[in-house]
Amino acid sequence: MHLLRNHTFEMLLSPYGTLESLVIVDDPVKMNWVIDADYVTKAGYADEDKRFGQWSVIADGEWIESTSLPLHIEVVEDQAATVHFAHPKLTVQHEYVLNNDGEWTWNIRCSNPSHSAVVLSGFHCWFSLAYIMFRDHNVLKNMNHSCAVFPHLGGDYSKFAAVRRSNEAPHLAVYSTGERVAALGTHCSYVNRFLEQVSPSLDGMLYHRLSFVEDGSSLQQSADDDWIYGGDYSSIKLEPLDEKVWSFVFTTFHEQADFYTKAKQYEHPVWNYSSVTTTEGKFIAEVQLPENETLQSAIMYSVTGATGVVKETDILNEFKNVPDSECKRLRIVRPIQAAGEIKLVATLSNGKCDVLVGNVLEPLHIMMEQRAAWLCNYSFNADVATRPYAILPLSNQGESLGKLSFILMKNLLSIPITEQIRKVEETAFFDLKQHWFENGNFQCPKPLYGEFYRIYDFDYIGHVYYLLSQFEPSQLHYGSPVMYLKWAAEVMCMRLDEQFHQNKREQEESQLVGVFVLYIADLLHDLQEHRLTDWHDKLSKLWLTLVSRLQADSATYKGAITEHFYDNAGFALTCQALCLAGLTVEAERYAPLIVANIGFSNDYRANAPDRWWEALSFMTHSLWGGLAASAALFCYEKLAHVHLLEAGYRATMTMFHCYDWNVHSTMRKLKPGEAASTYSIAAPNLNMPQLSRNRFGQSIFKTSNDPLFSSLFADIKGDDWDMGEELVAYLLGFGSTTYLYTDSKGQLQCINGLIEPDESGGWMITSYAAYPTQYVLLEQGLVFTSPTGEIVKRVMLTNGKFESAQLMI
């Protein structure tokens, strides 16, 4: 091993020229920021060909790998090393250079030593940062020695933020300073632990792969639909003695703002933009250009309508200078009235370009209405032989019932549609009781999973019954609001009562937090209001017992574990539960885990909460992405940390990618109201290339190479498997509320809406919420709540007071 060091980094280079250890000197836990070979071996994985720095090239159709070539390593003292690979068609050289400024530079040189031109159709190098789910019950290991990787791709200014899962700085930043990067792919090494009845049911790691040259062959069919990045998928020709150099600077950063501040040091433009808006709003982008650079061109690309034709619009003249004594900024404010994805390509005077990828949604109440209509028209079971009143796809998992809760919540916030309420009530009355309970007895759960029943299922069942209790008696057909309220209480008391359950699994699961945090406070309130004292007291006692345990375990972060492993389903809902109980000191411990879990990028799709096991890639997952986002928002209201608000909003708007029928950049197109539970962000997804930048559901795993996956999902139909509850969470938060706050420069900012100065000296705020009824300026204690739930699309903020500016019923 060769040790390289400066006062910031220590690196170990193997005899094979691969980076085996990267440690930040002042890191108190001494995390290895690249995948550790010893751990890979100990855990039983076998990916010796994916070490950091190993590469492959397709040259004139010939596949060439670094592992099959001789190499020569030269080390200069302890601050530089060169790894040289030779082949008759090309020479590849890695240069690792550590300087006294606390950075290190990685140069990858590819040259043609021959007398004939060489065509490269692929040049890929493993970029194996420590994206690991450790097979370990020690939650601190997953928090302190694993990272999420958030990419910024497109154009000439690629960069990557590797964020430690604890959110404890220092983190690792990587900035491209050479030739452009065409793609970032992933390969997942994992063990399928589904039959061991643990959650998450996989453990493993993602190996990231940089594609310096990619002609699209790694992405199979998905490259044909990728109008956003498809232009970067092409081969290159190296003439004799030609050389291409890809360069990256590695440094540390402390938090998101610092990541962008440091980008300026490496002459990257720095953007702040509205990554997702609606056709009712405006696209806003601000950019700080590198010193001595000017903006030479700015083109907005978009695809609208069914044709898929890409439209180009020159928007250069719409950028205006922003007065700012600290830096030079340009700003554009642009209404966009057609829904669909957008791509902004900005070219600088040095000839390099930067890229932003955003999305314009239909007004979100339209998305809610279309989704509910689709479900009611196509998702209720017409097969009288098998669960005739069930909602499709048929499932034993309670997650499938989120669709029912969504339909009910939508009807509570908008003009109710009797037929929709009736369909849900029939399912709740006839299917939920009979399928999950013996003879409809809530005290006798059915062991639907062989020898056990799943505690989490009851969270979703209880939610359906609670929401039914919110309707007027005249809107219900099979029961009364009070009856459904009692049913919700009975289900939740059974669910939370550890002593009720006989098996160890169910006893342990009963003490885990679930989606019941979305409604348990309201359920307790309503039980008291209706003087159902016995149910209230019993449920309250169980709730307080669970919360007390969460409080006691918070110092060891036990709530970050679900049944077995580190999981955002654990730490996000635990943080929300602690906030709900007023235990803010304990909640403060978990809140950083939520922030570290949510991406930030120049591409709105990469703003998702990090969760890999549904796609074997980093991805957007509708249910847990939406619930993690909702938890971030809820915790912001209790803890007042603006980064929770911002992260929660980014993640929420990313979640709608799973519902958006105006998206053209994926193979899987949607009709209005259709949905797909998962979107694979990585391109390529090397485990399943057909998933690369594509939407899908669990049915895709019928064709998996994993025999357990293919058998488990053999009978599954449909793409919208575990969906719906995230829309309820949205409607409870950003679906009804717009937020304002003052930034570090003293400027008033708006989240989930548009803020514009008014002639009167106040501010006009337009909400992007589906059913806006509330506006909040938390730092000043200002709240506007519409009377009797009326929809208020715009308010004025003048002299410290909110006033309705436009009333829409």
Side-chain angles (χ1 to χ4, degrees):
M1 292 284 185
H2 303 283
L3 175 64
L4 307 178
R5 65 174 65 180
N6 59 15
H7 66 267
T8 301
F9 293 105
E10 289 185 352
M11 302 166 51
L12 278 177
L13 205 63
S14 78
Y16 307 103
T18 57
L19 183 59
E20 296 300 321
S21 176
L22 174 63
V23 174
I24 298 170
V25 172
D26 61 359
D27 179 4
V29 300
K30 301 300 181 185
M31 171 179 171
N32 183 0
W33 284 86
V34 298
I35 289 179
D36 187 281
D38 290 339
Y39 173 75
V40 172
T41 301
K42 182 180 178 181
Y45 297 104
D47 291 297
E48 295 301 320
D49 60 338
K50 298 178 178 61
R51 310 303 305 148
F52 188 109
Q54 290 178 330
W55 54 267
S56 60
V57 167
I58 304 173
D60 291 338
E62 179 184 354
W63 181 269
I64 303 168
E65 291 184 288
S66 59
T67 52
S68 63
L69 297 178
L71 73 155
H72 175 67
I73 300 177
E74 294 181 7
V75 178
V76 179
E77 295 181 344
D78 63 353
Q79 286 199 302
T82 300
V83 185
H84 185 88
F85 301 88
H87 185 275
K89 289 185 177 179
L90 53 86
T91 299
V92 173
Q93 183 170 291
H94 288 315
E95 298 168 354
Y96 301 96
V97 181
L98 284 77
N99 62 31
N100 293 325
D101 293 327
E103 310 160 332
W104 68 277
T105 301
W106 178 36
N107 298 320
I108 303 95
R109 299 180 183 275
C110 182
S111 57
N112 177 5
S114 71
H115 298 290
S116 303
V118 176
V119 175
L120 305 183
S121 52
F123 182 18
H124 314 290
C125 187
W126 291 104
F127 183 61
S128 306
L129 300 180
Y131 191 122
I132 306 171
M133 175 174 283
F134 289 102
R135 192 179 305 170
D136 200 317
H137 290 221
N138 179 5
V139 65
L140 293 177
K141 189 171 184 179
N142 275 302
M143 286 170 52
N144 293 328
H145 295 275
S146 176
C147 65
V149 179
F150 303 128
H152 298 63
L153 295 174
D156 299 295
Y157 296 102
S158 297
K159 42 192 166 283
F160 308 91
V163 179
R164 196 194 312 258
R165 296 191 187 279
S166 67
N167 209 36
E168 287 288 329
H171 307 295
L172 184 67
V174 185
Y175 303 98
S176 172
T177 56
E179 296 282 346
R180 66 172 52 184
V181 176
L184 178 72
T186 58
H187 171 84
C188 182
S189 290
Y190 67 94
V191 172
N192 195 331
R193 304 170 66 87
F194 186 89
L195 295 182
E196 297 177 43
Q197 300 173 7
V198 298
S199 179
S201 56
L202 309 180
D203 63 40
M205 61 198 75
L206 287 187
Y207 289 91
H208 290 80
R209 190 186 79 170
L210 295 173
S211 292
F212 305 133
V213 180
E214 169 61 73
D215 68 353
S217 57
S218 296
L219 290 84
Q220 295 185 359
Q221 313 97 308
S222 60
D224 296 333
D225 293 278
D226 191 357
W227 70 268
I228 293 174
Y229 292 108
D232 291 329
Y233 304 148
S234 61
S235 58
I236 65 170
K237 180 185 286 188
L238 276 182
E239 298 293 344
L241 304 182
D242 268 2
E243 181 179 70
K244 292 281 188 180
V245 182
W246 291 267
S247 299
F248 302 89
V249 175
F250 289 66
T251 187
T252 61
F253 73 100
H254 286 87
E255 37 75 36
Q256 182 179 338
D258 186 41
F259 175 79
Y260 292 114
T261 298
K262 289 205 168 184
K264 290 189 290 185
Q265 298 177 18
Y266 307 107
E267 300 185 346
H268 281 226
V270 174
W271 294 87
N272 182 21
Y273 80 114
S274 47
S275 56
V276 181
T277 185
T278 75
T279 56
E280 300 171 305
K282 295 180 181 179
F283 172 77
I284 300 173
E286 288 188 356
V287 60
Q288 298 176 44
L289 297 176
E291 195 72 27
N292 301 320
E293 293 294 337
T294 57
L295 190 60
Q296 292 296 296
S297 72
I299 306 295
M300 180 78 80
Y301 297 87
S302 60
V303 178
T304 59
T307 61
V309 175
V310 179
K311 177 183 176 182
E312 300 182 20
T313 305
D314 188 340
I315 59 172
L316 177 63
N317 293 331
E318 298 181 42
F319 279 89
K320 308 299 180 185
N321 287 315
V322 178
D324 191 327
S325 59
E326 297 181 8
C327 60
K328 180 181 178 182
R329 288 186 292 150
L330 297 173
R331 189 171 196 256
I332 183 174
V333 179
R334 190 169 205 274
I336 302 178
Q337 297 177 342
E341 289 174 300
I342 54 176
K343 175 184 176 182
L344 192 161
V345 178
T347 304
L348 278 57
S349 50
N350 61 9
K352 294 184 176 182
C353 72
D354 206 0
V355 171
L356 300 179
V357 179
N359 197 20
V360 181
L361 296 169
E362 301 267 3
L364 284 167
H365 72 275
I366 293 177
M367 188 169 282
M368 300 297 109
E369 299 291 344
Q370 290 277 22
R371 178 60 176 158
W374 175 273
L375 291 172
C376 290
N377 289 336
Y378 299 106
S379 294
F380 283 85
N381 195 7
D383 182 359
V384 295
T386 306
R387 296 179 59 187
Y389 294 99
I391 191 164
L392 300 175
L394 295 179
S395 172
N396 288 332
Q397 289 187 296
E399 286 87 335
S400 63
L401 304 177
K403 301 180 183 70
L404 303 175
S405 292
F406 158 65
I407 294 169
L408 294 176
M409 179 62 74
K410 193 276 300 181
N411 276 279
L412 288 168
L413 295 178
S414 61
I415 297 173
I417 299 173
T418 302
E419 182 184 359
Q420 293 184 356
I421 301 167
R422 175 72 60 85
K423 285 190 173 185
V424 173
E425 189 184 9
E426 286 178 342
T427 299
F429 194 88
F430 294 110
D431 183 68
L432 269 63
K433 287 191 70 182
Q434 300 303 320
H435 185 71
W436 273 272
F437 305 95
E438 300 286 357
N439 299 316
N441 185 347
F442 297 131
Q443 299 303 303
C444 298
K446 284 184 182 179
L448 293 176
Y449 302 87
E451 297 180 355
F452 68 96
Y453 50 85
R454 186 168 172 264
I455 290 293
Y456 291 123
D457 294 347
F458 305 128
D459 295 6
Y460 298 92
I461 294 170
H463 204 177
V464 174
Y465 289 142
Y466 174 70
L467 290 173
L468 281 169
S469 77
Q470 301 304 293
F471 287 90
E472 296 295 327
S474 60
Q475 296 172 308
L476 300 173
H477 185 74
Y478 296 99
S480 68
V482 173
M483 184 193 80
Y484 288 124
L485 187 64
K486 289 180 181 177
W487 285 9
E490 186 173 358
V491 169
M492 286 310 302
C493 285
M494 177 272 295
R495 183 260 193 247
L496 291 170
D497 187 353
E498 182 179 5
Q499 300 304 314
F500 172 87
H501 308 287
Q502 302 302 310
N503 298 327
K504 182 180 178 182
R505 177 191 174 100
E506 286 89 332
Q507 289 172 351
E508 292 177 348
E509 284 187 7
S510 71
Q511 295 305 303
L512 296 175
V513 183
V515 298
F516 67 83
V517 296
L518 294 176
Y519 64 92
I520 193 166
D522 294 332
L523 173 57
L524 285 166
H525 173 272
D526 289 1
L527 289 170
Q528 194 166 42
E529 283 287 303
H530 286 84
R531 299 181 181 178
L532 298 172
T533 306
D534 289 344
W535 284 117
H536 172 273
D537 292 350
K538 183 177 181 181
L539 182 59
S540 179
K541 183 179 179 180
L542 292 166
W543 162 241
L544 292 175
T545 298
L546 182 142
V547 167
S548 296
R549 188 172 296 186
L550 292 178
Q551 182 182 24
D553 292 339
S554 64
T556 58
Y557 295 92
K558 189 174 180 180
I561 301 290
T562 50
E563 291 105 312
H564 193 67
F565 289 136
Y566 187 78
D567 187 358
N568 66 3
F571 57 75
L573 294 189
T574 295
C575 190
Q576 184 168 348
L578 291 166
C579 283
L580 189 62
L583 299 172
T584 54
V585 172
E586 291 77 11
E588 290 275 10
R589 294 181 177 133
Y590 287 96
L593 312 187
I594 302 177
V595 175
N597 182 248
I598 295 175
F600 53 92
S601 176
N602 66 325
D603 185 330
Y604 79 103
R605 298 168 295 186
N607 290 339
D610 175 52
R611 210 171 196 244
W612 58 270
W613 46 89
E614 305 281 352
L616 307 180
S617 153
F618 62 93
M619 64 175 197
T620 298
H621 187 254
S622 59
L623 176 64
W624 285 108
L627 291 176
S630 171
L633 172 60
F634 188 92
C635 296
Y636 161 72
E637 292 189 332
K638 303 298 181 182
L639 304 178
H641 300 318
V642 169
H643 49 268
L644 283 166
L645 172 65
E646 294 173 330
Y649 187 64
R650 286 198 310 273
T652 296
M653 301 310 280
T654 302
M655 175 264 296
F656 285 116
H657 190 67
C658 293
Y659 291 91
D660 189 357
W661 58 86
N662 292 297
V663 165
H664 287 266
S665 62
T666 72
M667 286 190 294
R668 177 72 168 93
K669 307 298 191 294
L670 301 174
K671 299 182 178 68
E674 273 191 298
S677 65
T678 313
Y679 173 76
S680 179
I681 301 168
N685 179 328
L686 292 163
N687 293 80
M688 299 184 73
Q690 68 270 36
L691 302 186
S692 303
R693 291 204 179 103
N694 197 20
R695 298 181 286 204
F696 62 96
Q698 289 180 329
S699 58
I700 195 72
F701 290 105
K702 291 179 182 180
T703 60
S704 171
N705 291 328
D706 184 321
L708 182 54
F709 272 152
S710 58
S711 62
L712 286 171
F713 301 121
D715 297 326
I716 287 177
K717 298 178 181 178
D719 291 334
D720 60 348
W721 188 256
D722 42 3
M723 304 184 74
E725 201 73 28
E726 73 281 3
L727 294 184
V728 180
Y730 162 74
L731 292 172
L732 289 168
F734 288 121
S736 54
T737 306
T738 292
Y739 296 85
L740 292 95
Y741 71 92
T742 305
D743 67 16
S744 59
K745 295 183 179 180
Q747 299 295 313
L748 197 61
Q749 302 292 340
C750 183
I751 294 288
N752 197 30
L754 175 68
I755 183 169
E756 298 174 295
D758 185 74
E759 296 176 355
S760 66
W763 298 93
M764 175 75 76
I765 298 104
T766 302
S767 178
Y768 295 162
Y771 305 104
T773 58
Q774 189 166 254
Y775 296 78
V776 175
L777 180 50
L778 188 65
E779 67 204 48
Q780 296 183 21
L782 294 179
V783 179
F784 172 91
T785 303
S786 65
T788 63
E790 294 167 329
I791 292 173
V792 178
K793 191 67 183 173
R794 292 182 180 86
V795 298
M796 283 289 300
L797 177 60
T798 308
N799 298 323
K801 291 184 179 180
F802 283 118
E803 295 180 357
S804 175
Q806 181 177 343
L807 190 63
M808 299 177 63
I809 301 176

